[in-house]
Structure formats: C-alpha cells, structure tokens
Amino acid sequence: MYGGAWRPGTIPDMSDLPPESDLPPEIDVSRPHPARMYDYYLGGKNHFAADRETAKTVLAAAPTTVVGARENRAFLGRAVRYLVAEAGIRQFLDIGTGLPTTNNVHEVAQAADPSVRVVYADNDPLVLAHARALLTSSPEGRTAYIQADLRDPAAILSSPVVREVLDFSQPIALMTVAVLHFVLDEFKPAAILTTLLDELPSGSYLTASHVTGEHLPAQAAATTRTYRSSGVPLQVRDSDEFARLVFDGLDLVPPGVVLVSEWRPDGTEPRPAPAEVNCYGGVARKP
Ligand SMILES: C[S@@+](CC[C@H](N)C(=O)[O-])C[C@H]1O[C@@H](n2cnc3c(N)ncnc32)[C@H](O)[C@@H]1O
C-alpha cells in the first residue's frame, strides 16, 4: 500500500498518488469518471490516464469545453453567494459536488455567513477519498459528505447524515450544478427533482446548470459520443428542455435561465461567446 496507510481523505494532492495498481479497488482508474475529467478541464491534478485521454479526445473536437467548465464553476460561486447574502439561505444540499477545488460551496457560503451548513453528495469514490478537504467547516457551521447517487433521491433524503446536519423545517438550497446532464431521460430526472423538492419547505431554492448542444451541435454530438463510448452517460439538453425539466413550478430568480456566464456576472469584463460556454444555469425559489 501507498505509505502503508492510504485511506479515504488522505490524498491532499494527486501528484503524490500511489501507483495506480496500489489504489483501493473502489477507485476504478480503468475508465474515465466525470469528476476527474472536470478536474482536468479546470486545470486540477486529480485525474488518471483514462480521464486525461478521454478529456483530450473531447477537447480535440470541442476545445471550448475548458471555457464552459470554468464559467460553470464561477456560476456556482456566484449562485452560492447570492443564496446566502441575498436570499438568506443557511443550508445547502450539494449533489454532484465534484472533487474539491477552489471556492467549494461551504467556503463561499461561510465567507458570507460562518453558520452555514452544507451536506455534499457525489457518487464518485475519489470524491469520497478527498472529502476531508470539504470538511473544513467554520466552527459556527457544519459540513458533511455522503457518497450517494442522484438517481436514488430516496436514499439521499433518508441518509442519517443529511437528516442530522440539515433542518428540513427551514429553507434549504438544493444544488445540482453540472450534474443533470449525467442523468439520462430513462432515469427520469424530473421525477428525481420532484422527489427532492417535495421534501424541502417553501422558501427553499434549486440551483442547476446543464450542458447544451444548441450552439455547437456537431461538437456536442462528438462530446456525447466520446463520453458514452467511455462508459459515462451524457445527455445534452437545450435551454428550453433544461428549463422545463428543472424549473417548472418554481419562481425563477432574475435573470432566469441563461448561459452560466450571464447569470449575475461580476464586473463588466467582456464575457465569452455562447458557443464557448455551452452551459445554461438558473436559480429558482420553491413557492
Ligand atoms: C462536472 S462535475 C460538477 C461539480 C460541481 N457541481 C461544479 O459544478 O463545479 C459533475 C459531478 O457530478 C458527479 N456525478 C455524476 N453523476 C452523478 C450521479 N448520478 N450521482 C451523484 N453524482 C454524480 C460526478 O462524479 C462529478 O463529481
């Protein structure tokens, strides 16, 4: 074993990863995982050869994927800041967390109010391995991590960790940022969201973003083929499909469903073109 003591939560930096053959069996390096490919696009170090090869194939056909990834991550940060500073939210359930990177949800949220509580959930065991970096809550707040699959919302809702950390009598922000495109129609994503939202009190919020093919259909088709042929389900949806799927029955916060780069941008810097971003996002309140 790596140093004799590799265990979840002990890899601060993948540059000192053990040889792939020494990793625990639940970390499958033989095929790419979306969290690790996203980390590659963002310039992180938490990826293996299979992730890099697949990501490079995606980038060869769709080089602006890195722009979309960065803009999506920035959207996530602005949405969290809005939810705490302007909407008064103090609790988050972040499903499809991704590997820890800069501006994790609790860091942004607790910078605005240290008492914020966050439960993170992801289905990639490597995210679990890095979860320690997500458990750095301020003393006034709380963070927790569960390994869970968005396609099984009942398991998330009945998790003792979720129930202990979050108070379901008070508003909760449900975050599904850049994860719903990994839930194919056959898994009924609308029903999944309904199950989750039904448990949340009025005044809760849903934040979501989703990759689209509407600006570059050929590149999106190539990306979809690359992901699927590597065993990663991916389904791009256009902005109308995304809006209907996610925000029906909720009160959208202005400016509504827009490119993630256009959602309450900071400053007046020129923003990338739609065909570089290829990702829509929005925030909405449960009436
Ligand atoms: C592109 S990353 C997004 C990370 C973060 N939410 C963000 O927007 O910066 C997608 C994450 O969703 C996770 N994921 C994909 N399918 C999932 C599922 N069915 N259940 C839970 N997590 C999933 C992946 O492991 C990955 O960490």
Side-chain angles (χ1 to χ4, degrees), residues 1 6 23 26 76 97 114 123 126 140 146 177 183 191 220 226 228 231 245 250 252 266 277:
M1 277 295 282
W6 193 97
L23 284 166
E26 63 272 22
L76 172 63
T97 299
N123 70 349
L126 194 65
E140 301 90 334
I146 58 167
V177 179
V183 181
T226 303
R228 289 191 180 185
L245 167 68
L250 303 178
L252 273 165
D266 291 327
V277 179

PDB file of all heavy atoms in Angstrom, residues 1 6 23 26 76 97 114 123 126 140 146 177 183 191 220 226 228 231 245 250 252 266 277:
ATOM      1  N   MET A   1       0.842  -1.206   0.000  1.00  0.00           N
ATOM      2  CA  MET A   1       0.000   0.000   0.000  1.00  0.00           C
ATOM      3  C   MET A   1       0.867   1.242   0.000  1.00  0.00           C
ATOM      4  O   MET A   1       1.974   1.253   0.519  1.00  0.00           O
ATOM      5  CB  MET A   1      -0.894   0.032   1.243  1.00  0.00           C
ATOM      6  CG  MET A   1      -2.176  -0.782   1.147  1.00  0.00           C
ATOM      7  SD  MET A   1      -3.327  -0.191  -0.081  1.00  0.00           S
ATOM      8  CE  MET A   1      -4.073   1.206   0.753  1.00  0.00           C
ATOM      9  N   TRP A   6      -2.859   4.236   2.999  1.00  0.00           N
ATOM     10  CA  TRP A   6      -3.784   5.008   2.162  1.00  0.00           C
ATOM     11  C   TRP A   6      -5.206   4.757   2.620  1.00  0.00           C
ATOM     12  O   TRP A   6      -5.608   3.627   2.862  1.00  0.00           O
ATOM     13  CB  TRP A   6      -3.637   4.596   0.685  1.00  0.00           C
ATOM     14  CG  TRP A   6      -4.335   5.564  -0.206  1.00  0.00           C
ATOM     15  CD1 TRP A   6      -3.763   6.609  -0.858  1.00  0.00           C
ATOM     16  CD2 TRP A   6      -5.725   5.603  -0.511  1.00  0.00           C
ATOM     17  NE1 TRP A   6      -4.716   7.313  -1.536  1.00  0.00           N
ATOM     18  CE2 TRP A   6      -5.935   6.725  -1.346  1.00  0.00           C
ATOM     19  CE3 TRP A   6      -6.838   4.848  -0.166  1.00  0.00           C
ATOM     20  CZ2 TRP A   6      -7.177   7.078  -1.845  1.00  0.00           C
ATOM     21  CZ3 TRP A   6      -8.086   5.201  -0.652  1.00  0.00           C
ATOM     22  CH2 TRP A   6      -8.232   6.304  -1.483  1.00  0.00           C
ATOM     23  N   LEU A  23      -4.063   1.470  -5.656  1.00  0.00           N
ATOM     24  CA  LEU A  23      -5.255   2.182  -5.182  1.00  0.00           C
ATOM     25  C   LEU A  23      -6.303   1.193  -4.687  1.00  0.00           C
ATOM     26  O   LEU A  23      -6.353   0.059  -5.145  1.00  0.00           O
ATOM     27  CB  LEU A  23      -5.843   3.015  -6.323  1.00  0.00           C
ATOM     28  CG  LEU A  23      -5.083   4.286  -6.651  1.00  0.00           C
ATOM     29  CD1 LEU A  23      -5.550   4.833  -7.988  1.00  0.00           C
ATOM     30  CD2 LEU A  23      -5.259   5.325  -5.560  1.00  0.00           C
ATOM     31  N   GLU A  26     -12.234   0.278  -5.018  1.00  0.00           N
ATOM     32  CA  GLU A  26     -13.410   1.076  -5.381  1.00  0.00           C
ATOM     33  C   GLU A  26     -13.043   2.264  -6.266  1.00  0.00           C
ATOM     34  O   GLU A  26     -13.910   2.887  -6.874  1.00  0.00           O
ATOM     35  CB  GLU A  26     -14.195   1.529  -4.141  1.00  0.00           C
ATOM     36  CG  GLU A  26     -13.470   2.442  -3.186  1.00  0.00           C
ATOM     37  CD  GLU A  26     -12.666   1.671  -2.122  1.00  0.00           C
ATOM     38  OE1 GLU A  26     -12.332   0.485  -2.362  1.00  0.00           O
ATOM     39  OE2 GLU A  26     -12.350   2.271  -1.087  1.00  0.00           O
ATOM     40  N   LEU A  76     -21.399  28.693 -10.123  1.00  0.00           N
ATOM     41  CA  LEU A  76     -21.689  28.036  -8.848  1.00  0.00           C
ATOM     42  C   LEU A  76     -21.350  28.975  -7.687  1.00  0.00           C
ATOM     43  O   LEU A  76     -22.146  29.162  -6.762  1.00  0.00           O
ATOM     44  CB  LEU A  76     -20.884  26.726  -8.745  1.00  0.00           C
ATOM     45  CG  LEU A  76     -20.904  25.995  -7.397  1.00  0.00           C
ATOM     46  CD1 LEU A  76     -22.298  25.536  -7.029  1.00  0.00           C
ATOM     47  CD2 LEU A  76     -19.957  24.792  -7.431  1.00  0.00           C
ATOM     48  N   THR A  97     -21.077  17.059  -6.242  1.00  0.00           N
ATOM     49  CA  THR A  97     -20.147  18.056  -5.678  1.00  0.00           C
ATOM     50  C   THR A  97     -18.911  18.266  -6.541  1.00  0.00           C
ATOM     51  O   THR A  97     -18.433  19.380  -6.699  1.00  0.00           O
ATOM     52  CB  THR A  97     -19.701  17.548  -4.277  1.00  0.00           C
ATOM     53  OG1 THR A  97     -20.861  17.442  -3.461  1.00  0.00           O
ATOM     54  CG2 THR A  97     -18.685  18.448  -3.653  1.00  0.00           C
ATOM     55  N   PRO A 114     -20.678  32.402   8.536  1.00  0.00           N
ATOM     56  CA  PRO A 114     -19.975  31.204   9.019  1.00  0.00           C
ATOM     57  C   PRO A 114     -20.889  30.127   9.574  1.00  0.00           C
ATOM     58  O   PRO A 114     -20.448  28.988   9.769  1.00  0.00           O
ATOM     59  CB  PRO A 114     -19.056  31.740  10.130  1.00  0.00           C
ATOM     60  CG  PRO A 114     -19.091  33.221  10.036  1.00  0.00           C
ATOM     61  CD  PRO A 114     -20.301  33.628   9.260  1.00  0.00           C
ATOM     62  N   ASN A 123     -21.277  10.525  -6.349  1.00  0.00           N
ATOM     63  CA  ASN A 123     -21.218   9.060  -6.473  1.00  0.00           C
ATOM     64  C   ASN A 123     -19.840   8.557  -6.876  1.00  0.00           C
ATOM     65  O   ASN A 123     -19.677   7.358  -7.097  1.00  0.00           O
ATOM     66  CB  ASN A 123     -22.292   8.542  -7.449  1.00  0.00           C
ATOM     67  CG  ASN A 123     -22.005   8.909  -8.891  1.00  0.00           C
ATOM     68  OD1 ASN A 123     -21.117   9.720  -9.164  1.00  0.00           O
ATOM     69  ND2 ASN A 123     -22.759   8.339  -9.814  1.00  0.00           N
ATOM     70  N   LEU A 126     -13.646   8.641  -5.649  1.00  0.00           N
ATOM     71  CA  LEU A 126     -12.472   9.503  -5.494  1.00  0.00           C
ATOM     72  C   LEU A 126     -12.854  10.817  -4.791  1.00  0.00           C
ATOM     73  O   LEU A 126     -12.044  11.394  -4.073  1.00  0.00           O
ATOM     74  CB  LEU A 126     -11.817   9.806  -6.851  1.00  0.00           C
ATOM     75  CG  LEU A 126     -10.421  10.417  -6.729  1.00  0.00           C
ATOM     76  CD1 LEU A 126      -9.427   9.443  -6.097  1.00  0.00           C
ATOM     77  CD2 LEU A 126      -9.899  10.906  -8.070  1.00  0.00           C
ATOM     78  N   GLU A 140     -18.687  27.661  13.571  1.00  0.00           N
ATOM     79  CA  GLU A 140     -20.109  28.014  13.743  1.00  0.00           C
ATOM     80  C   GLU A 140     -21.019  27.195  12.830  1.00  0.00           C
ATOM     81  O   GLU A 140     -22.210  27.060  13.086  1.00  0.00           O
ATOM     82  CB  GLU A 140     -20.345  29.496  13.426  1.00  0.00           C
ATOM     83  CG  GLU A 140     -19.541  30.461  14.273  1.00  0.00           C
ATOM     84  CD  GLU A 140     -18.188  30.800  13.657  1.00  0.00           C
ATOM     85  OE1 GLU A 140     -17.635  29.979  12.882  1.00  0.00           O
ATOM     86  OE2 GLU A 140     -17.678  31.892  13.953  1.00  0.00           O
ATOM     87  N   ILE A 146     -21.608  12.666   1.948  1.00  0.00           N
ATOM     88  CA  ILE A 146     -22.107  11.294   1.794  1.00  0.00           C
ATOM     89  C   ILE A 146     -21.815  10.835   0.374  1.00  0.00           C
ATOM     90  O   ILE A 146     -21.882  11.638  -0.573  1.00  0.00           O
ATOM     91  CB  ILE A 146     -23.626  11.160   2.074  1.00  0.00           C
ATOM     92  CG1 ILE A 146     -24.470  12.053   1.159  1.00  0.00           C
ATOM     93  CG2 ILE A 146     -23.928  11.463   3.534  1.00  0.00           C
ATOM     94  CD1 ILE A 146     -25.960  11.729   1.189  1.00  0.00           C
ATOM     95  N   VAL A 177     -25.524  21.222  -9.811  1.00  0.00           N
ATOM     96  CA  VAL A 177     -24.769  22.055 -10.752  1.00  0.00           C
ATOM     97  C   VAL A 177     -23.877  21.158 -11.606  1.00  0.00           C
ATOM     98  O   VAL A 177     -23.039  20.419 -11.079  1.00  0.00           O
ATOM     99  CB  VAL A 177     -23.953  23.133  -9.984  1.00  0.00           C
ATOM    100  CG1 VAL A 177     -23.144  23.989 -10.950  1.00  0.00           C
ATOM    101  CG2 VAL A 177     -24.905  24.010  -9.172  1.00  0.00           C
ATOM    102  N   VAL A 183     -27.637  12.438 -16.041  1.00  0.00           N
ATOM    103  CA  VAL A 183     -28.831  11.659 -15.726  1.00  0.00           C
ATOM    104  C   VAL A 183     -29.677  11.568 -16.996  1.00  0.00           C
ATOM    105  O   VAL A 183     -30.363  12.523 -17.392  1.00  0.00           O
ATOM    106  CB  VAL A 183     -29.629  12.301 -14.564  1.00  0.00           C
ATOM    107  CG1 VAL A 183     -30.863  11.470 -14.239  1.00  0.00           C
ATOM    108  CG2 VAL A 183     -28.738  12.449 -13.325  1.00  0.00           C
ATOM    109  N   ALA A 191     -38.616  13.452 -12.234  1.00  0.00           N
ATOM    110  CA  ALA A 191     -39.176  12.796 -11.043  1.00  0.00           C
ATOM    111  C   ALA A 191     -38.173  12.841  -9.883  1.00  0.00           C
ATOM    112  O   ALA A 191     -38.558  13.000  -8.715  1.00  0.00           O
ATOM    113  CB  ALA A 191     -39.548  11.354 -11.370  1.00  0.00           C
ATOM    114  N   ALA A 220     -21.167  19.034 -29.761  1.00  0.00           N
ATOM    115  CA  ALA A 220     -21.881  18.405 -28.636  1.00  0.00           C
ATOM    116  C   ALA A 220     -22.121  16.928 -28.931  1.00  0.00           C
ATOM    117  O   ALA A 220     -22.004  16.079 -28.038  1.00  0.00           O
ATOM    118  CB  ALA A 220     -23.199  19.124 -28.388  1.00  0.00           C
ATOM    119  N   THR A 226     -18.102  10.571 -27.258  1.00  0.00           N
ATOM    120  CA  THR A 226     -16.862  10.254 -26.529  1.00  0.00           C
ATOM    121  C   THR A 226     -17.172   9.812 -25.104  1.00  0.00           C
ATOM    122  O   THR A 226     -16.653   8.801 -24.620  1.00  0.00           O
ATOM    123  CB  THR A 226     -15.929  11.489 -26.498  1.00  0.00           C
ATOM    124  OG1 THR A 226     -15.671  11.885 -27.833  1.00  0.00           O
ATOM    125  CG2 THR A 226     -14.627  11.183 -25.790  1.00  0.00           C
ATOM    126  N   ARG A 228     -20.031   8.643 -23.880  1.00  0.00           N
ATOM    127  CA  ARG A 228     -20.795   7.385 -23.812  1.00  0.00           C
ATOM    128  C   ARG A 228     -19.937   6.181 -24.178  1.00  0.00           C
ATOM    129  O   ARG A 228     -20.070   5.116 -23.573  1.00  0.00           O
ATOM    130  CB  ARG A 228     -22.022   7.465 -24.719  1.00  0.00           C
ATOM    131  CG  ARG A 228     -23.077   8.409 -24.147  1.00  0.00           C
ATOM    132  CD  ARG A 228     -24.373   8.289 -24.901  1.00  0.00           C
ATOM    133  NE  ARG A 228     -25.368   9.190 -24.346  1.00  0.00           N
ATOM    134  CZ  ARG A 228     -26.630   9.240 -24.728  1.00  0.00           C
ATOM    135  NH1 ARG A 228     -27.069   8.439 -25.684  1.00  0.00           N
ATOM    136  NH2 ARG A 228     -27.464  10.083 -24.192  1.00  0.00           N
ATOM    137  N   GLY A 231     -18.180   4.894 -21.342  1.00  0.00           N
ATOM    138  CA  GLY A 231     -18.980   4.371 -20.233  1.00  0.00           C
ATOM    139  C   GLY A 231     -19.596   5.440 -19.352  1.00  0.00           C
ATOM    140  O   GLY A 231     -20.151   5.148 -18.298  1.00  0.00           O
ATOM    141  N   LEU A 245     -37.484  20.928 -17.580  1.00  0.00           N
ATOM    142  CA  LEU A 245     -37.121  19.783 -16.746  1.00  0.00           C
ATOM    143  C   LEU A 245     -36.896  20.192 -15.290  1.00  0.00           C
ATOM    144  O   LEU A 245     -37.318  19.505 -14.366  1.00  0.00           O
ATOM    145  CB  LEU A 245     -35.837  19.144 -17.311  1.00  0.00           C
ATOM    146  CG  LEU A 245     -35.096  18.126 -16.448  1.00  0.00           C
ATOM    147  CD1 LEU A 245     -35.922  16.868 -16.293  1.00  0.00           C
ATOM    148  CD2 LEU A 245     -33.745  17.790 -17.054  1.00  0.00           C
ATOM    149  N   LEU A 250     -41.475  26.451 -10.208  1.00  0.00           N
ATOM    150  CA  LEU A 250     -40.662  27.231  -9.264  1.00  0.00           C
ATOM    151  C   LEU A 250     -40.602  28.686  -9.735  1.00  0.00           C
ATOM    152  O   LEU A 250     -40.867  28.977 -10.910  1.00  0.00           O
ATOM    153  CB  LEU A 250     -39.238  26.661  -9.181  1.00  0.00           C
ATOM    154  CG  LEU A 250     -39.114  25.180  -8.788  1.00  0.00           C
ATOM    155  CD1 LEU A 250     -37.653  24.759  -8.803  1.00  0.00           C
ATOM    156  CD2 LEU A 250     -39.732  24.926  -7.417  1.00  0.00           C
ATOM    157  N   LEU A 252     -38.404  31.520 -10.814  1.00  0.00           N
ATOM    158  CA  LEU A 252     -37.020  31.771 -11.221  1.00  0.00           C
ATOM    159  C   LEU A 252     -36.534  33.122 -10.704  1.00  0.00           C
ATOM    160  O   LEU A 252     -37.233  34.133 -10.802  1.00  0.00           O
ATOM    161  CB  LEU A 252     -36.910  31.759 -12.744  1.00  0.00           C
ATOM    162  CG  LEU A 252     -36.692  30.393 -13.387  1.00  0.00           C
ATOM    163  CD1 LEU A 252     -36.959  30.459 -14.886  1.00  0.00           C
ATOM    164  CD2 LEU A 252     -35.275  29.877 -13.113  1.00  0.00           C
ATOM    165  N   ASP A 266     -20.059  39.106 -12.300  1.00  0.00           N
ATOM    166  CA  ASP A 266     -19.317  40.133 -11.558  1.00  0.00           C
ATOM    167  C   ASP A 266     -18.664  41.056 -12.566  1.00  0.00           C
ATOM    168  O   ASP A 266     -18.148  40.598 -13.582  1.00  0.00           O
ATOM    169  CB  ASP A 266     -18.206  39.486 -10.716  1.00  0.00           C
ATOM    170  CG  ASP A 266     -18.778  38.665  -9.564  1.00  0.00           C
ATOM    171  OD1 ASP A 266     -19.830  39.050  -9.038  1.00  0.00           O
ATOM    172  OD2 ASP A 266     -18.148  37.642  -9.219  1.00  0.00           O
ATOM    173  N   VAL A 277     -19.347  28.800 -24.152  1.00  0.00           N
ATOM    174  CA  VAL A 277     -19.827  28.457 -22.807  1.00  0.00           C
ATOM    175  C   VAL A 277     -20.630  27.153 -22.841  1.00  0.00           C
ATOM    176  O   VAL A 277     -20.371  26.226 -22.056  1.00  0.00           O
ATOM    177  CB  VAL A 277     -20.668  29.620 -22.227  1.00  0.00           C
ATOM    178  CG1 VAL A 277     -21.184  29.259 -20.838  1.00  0.00           C
ATOM    179  CG2 VAL A 277     -19.837  30.903 -22.177  1.00  0.00           C
TER     180      VAL A 277
END
